[in-house]
């Protein structure tokens, strides 16, 4: 199982709606609207890195109001 944080920038005023919508997606563990350079932070999981990438590109990035994402896989050193 691969987990990652997905940092999301949204259009002005869209962070709350984006976080609520993404929180309902399969594989999403948590979605919070935050302040700072990113508007929403998501913790997600998938079986493989490829599955995670497909989820981000095919599902998350297609949500109305999202302008940019940055995916940060979690590593255990």
């Amino acid at each position: 199982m691969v987990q990652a944080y997905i940092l999301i920038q949204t259009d002005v005023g869209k962070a709350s709606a984006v976080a609520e919508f993404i929180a309902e997606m399969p594989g999403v563990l948590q979605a919070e609207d935050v302040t700072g350079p990113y508007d929403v932070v998501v913790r997600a999981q998938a079986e493989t890195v490829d599955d995670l990438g497909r989820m981000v590109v095919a599902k998350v990035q297609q949500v109305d109001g999202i302008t940019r994402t940055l995916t940060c896989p979690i590593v255990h050193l």
Side-chain angles (χ1 to χ4, degrees):
M1 191 67 62
V2 177
Q3 291 189 358
Y5 288 100
I6 306 167
L7 310 178
I8 299 172
Q9 292 178 336
T10 68
D11 292 325
V12 174
K14 298 281 188 167
S16 182
V18 166
E20 287 179 21
F21 188 85
I22 290 176
E24 301 301 319
M25 289 183 176
V28 172
L29 303 174
Q30 191 171 14
E32 301 285 345
D33 42 322
V34 297
T35 60
Y38 294 95
D39 303 305
V40 177
V41 175
V42 173
R43 186 165 179 160
Q45 69 180 9
E47 287 295 321
T48 67
V49 172
D50 289 340
D51 291 338
L52 180 67
R54 279 189 282 279
M55 178 176 69
V56 172
V57 173
K59 294 181 182 173
V60 173
Q61 290 182 349
Q62 302 307 311
V63 174
D64 186 48
I66 291 180
T67 58
R68 181 173 296 186
T69 66
L70 175 66
T71 304
C72 304
I74 296 170
V75 296
H76 301 282
L77 303 174

